[in-house]
Amino acid sequence: MAEKRDYYEVLGVSRGATDDDLKKSYRRLARQYHPDINKEPHAEEHFKEVNEAYEVLSDADRRAAYDRFGHAASQMGGNGDPFGGFGQSPFGDIFETFFGGSTNRRRTGPQRGADLQATIDITFLESMFGAERDIELTRQETCDSCHGTRMKDGATPPRCTVCNGTGEVRRVQQTILGQFMTAQPCSSCRGEGVTITEPCDACRGRGRVTRARSINVTVPAGIDENQTLRYTGQGEASTNGGPNGNLYIKVRIEPHEIFTRQGRNVLMTAGVNVAQAALGDAISVETIDGPVIFNLPAGTQSGEKFRLRSHGVPSGNDRGDQIVTVQVLIPHELTPEQRELFEQLADTMGSEIQPQPHQRSFFDKVKDALGV
Ligand SMILES: [Zn+2]
Ligand SMILES: [Zn+2]
């Protein structure tokens, strides 16, 4: 076995790294090397290494032991792969959609159980700040009575006597062209190599039972449209002793009446009246955090954009911005008093129109610069 790398080195953090540093680094690396995503030859190896390092360093006791004794400490206990077995990784792992990634991996022996898919709908604000849902699903689970052996009391099924446990029957056929050896699945055990002599009562010898389950789903803050949550091991049980499949949850986000999202920013349009635009005003602007006061400068033009820092999409400890586009609203109807005031205004402003420079595109500017 090759010399083990230092766990801190594996995660690319200093020895004084905080839990948060560890988690961030781990998530980044786990995503980078996840075998469903990364098809490079050593990805899986790196993935395991990263998982092992994080498993030890994220546990205060085991980290302290590792700091004192190095890798010798980890041989005293612990089992390795946090993604293995039934259940989810410590924080509910999130990956974009990678359906099919695992099904085309070649495997010999036990097959992974089927993946399950579900869809949940959340509001725009829930997509910003996170949400929880219970989803109901029906899935095939390993039978509790026989633990999947399919035999009464969980006994090990005896080998098929017809094929001697190989699952196939070989026959030599004599033909005019010579001898042919053919191998066919054993019809007695249907190629399984074992005979269920005393079937388990609970599952009637199937090894799996159908169960209705309620799964608690945590949607992380800042999730975007078309992202999929993955719950490792929460899919269907394997038919032949392999690991469970995964549960993939597609998250749909209902559009909001006034907010839209663009990357990490939240966009909204604020209508102001002519006087506010001309004179400036302290206006109350709706954000996803509630209303905030914004000082609209005097002389604001319709279509002008302003940035409200850190009122955008949450991502980690950080936030995007809210971009407010001002739209100057010209009144459709005037009260007699307003009409009089506008008429006075018109007198002071004159009646000449002011031709505006043509709005030149980026390409026009490039052309000018190049002199073409
Ligand atoms: Zn059973
Ligand atoms: Zn057989």
Side-chain angles (χ1 to χ4, degrees):
M1 204 169 122
E3 184 87 20
K4 263 193 177 183
R5 283 169 70 204
D6 176 65
Y7 286 149
Y8 292 95
E9 194 188 305
V10 168
L11 291 177
V13 294
S14 70
R15 297 191 89 79
T18 64
D19 286 357
D20 225 52
D21 298 337
L22 288 171
K23 191 188 251 185
K24 263 193 202 144
S25 176
Y26 167 67
R27 293 182 74 153
R28 185 173 53 77
L29 292 168
R31 205 180 287 227
Q32 183 182 342
Y33 291 123
H34 195 283
D36 284 2
I37 300 168
N38 191 328
K39 300 294 182 200
E40 279 167 43
H42 297 294
E44 189 158 358
E45 219 170 281
H46 281 304
F47 183 67
K48 282 186 182 150
E49 194 179 35
V50 164
N51 274 317
E52 191 189 308
Y54 182 69
E55 205 202 17
V56 171
L57 297 186
S58 61
D59 179 316
D61 292 338
R62 294 181 66 189
R63 181 176 176 179
Y66 176 76
D67 286 345
R68 289 186 62 193
F69 305 114
H71 286 302
S74 62
Q75 275 135 34
M76 302 170 191
N79 59 354
D81 180 12
F83 285 93
F86 197 89
Q88 53 195 99
S89 69
F91 35 76
D93 40 338
I94 305 144
F95 292 94
E96 285 78 12
T97 320
F98 287 105
F99 288 122
S102 47
T103 48
N104 55 27
R105 275 161 74 197
R106 232 171 291 140
R107 245 182 225 282
T108 51
Q111 298 287 304
R112 201 160 65 86
D115 291 335
L116 290 176
Q117 291 175 39
T119 303
I120 58 172
D121 291 294
I122 60 171
T123 66
F124 183 84
L125 290 181
E126 285 176 321
S127 79
M128 293 290 138
F129 298 114
E132 255 186 67
R133 288 282 190 285
D134 288 326
I135 60 162
E136 313 298 326
L137 55 87
T138 306
R139 68 183 178 198
Q140 297 288 314
E141 295 186 1
T142 301
C143 172
D144 287 334
S145 299
C146 64
H147 307 289
T149 67
R150 301 153 64 196
M151 292 275 286
K152 204 172 192 133
D153 304 322
T156 306
R159 261 201 292 193
C160 171
T161 49
V162 176
C163 63
N164 201 26
T166 61
E168 56 179 31
V169 178
R170 288 165 191 272
R171 269 197 205 90
V172 179
Q173 281 183 316
Q174 299 284 352
T175 74
I176 49 168
L177 297 171
Q179 267 191 1
F180 281 94
M181 174 90 98
T182 58
Q184 282 183 327
C186 169
S187 59
S188 174
C189 64
R190 283 177 296 173
E192 287 167 349
V194 293
T195 314
I196 306 305
T197 44
E198 276 187 288
C200 164
D201 291 330
C203 62
R204 281 175 290 165
R206 289 170 55 245
R208 303 195 300 172
V209 288
T210 306
R211 282 270 157 74
R213 289 279 182 197
S214 175
I215 310 276
N216 185 259
V217 172
T218 304
V219 180
I223 193 163
D224 205 350
E225 196 72 60
N226 297 323
Q227 278 188 307
T228 297
L229 305 176
R230 188 173 83 167
Y231 284 75
T232 304
Q234 296 282 14
E236 307 230 68
S238 167
T239 49
N240 62 352
N244 291 333
N246 299 330
L247 170 62
Y248 291 95
I249 296 167
K250 187 173 163 33
V251 179
R252 284 193 302 220
I253 303 168
E254 292 163 31
H256 193 273
E257 210 179 319
I258 60 169
F259 300 122
T260 54
R261 173 179 179 152
Q262 189 179 64
R264 295 183 54 210
N265 293 332
V266 172
L267 312 184
M268 71 92 73
T269 299
V272 302
N273 67 39
V274 186
Q276 288 174 306
L279 304 172
D281 195 6
I283 57 171
S284 171
V285 175
E286 206 54 55
T287 72
I288 59 172
D289 305 297
V292 301
I293 300 298
F294 172 71
N295 286 312
L296 188 74
T300 296
Q301 306 296 308
S302 199
E304 223 173 297
K305 288 179 166 55
F306 296 96
R307 187 180 292 267
L308 299 179
R309 292 217 179 270
S310 299
H311 284 293
V313 181
S315 69
N317 297 328
D318 212 8
R319 293 282 296 267
D321 302 327
Q322 176 167 320
I323 309 293
V324 181
T325 304
V326 172
Q327 190 183 344
V328 178
L329 303 172
I330 308 299
H332 291 284
E333 279 176 68
L334 297 170
T335 64
E337 192 193 5
Q338 287 169 342
R339 168 163 290 278
E340 196 174 309
L341 290 168
F342 265 108
E343 279 167 357
Q344 285 177 28
L345 195 59
D347 288 342
T348 70
M349 289 187 147
S351 57
E352 276 168 43
I353 65 149
Q354 296 164 31
Q356 296 294 299
H358 163 62
Q359 294 279 332
R360 290 158 68 244
S361 74
F362 171 74
F363 295 104
D364 290 335
K365 288 177 192 167
V366 172
K367 275 188 196 166
D368 280 359
L370 296 173
V372 292

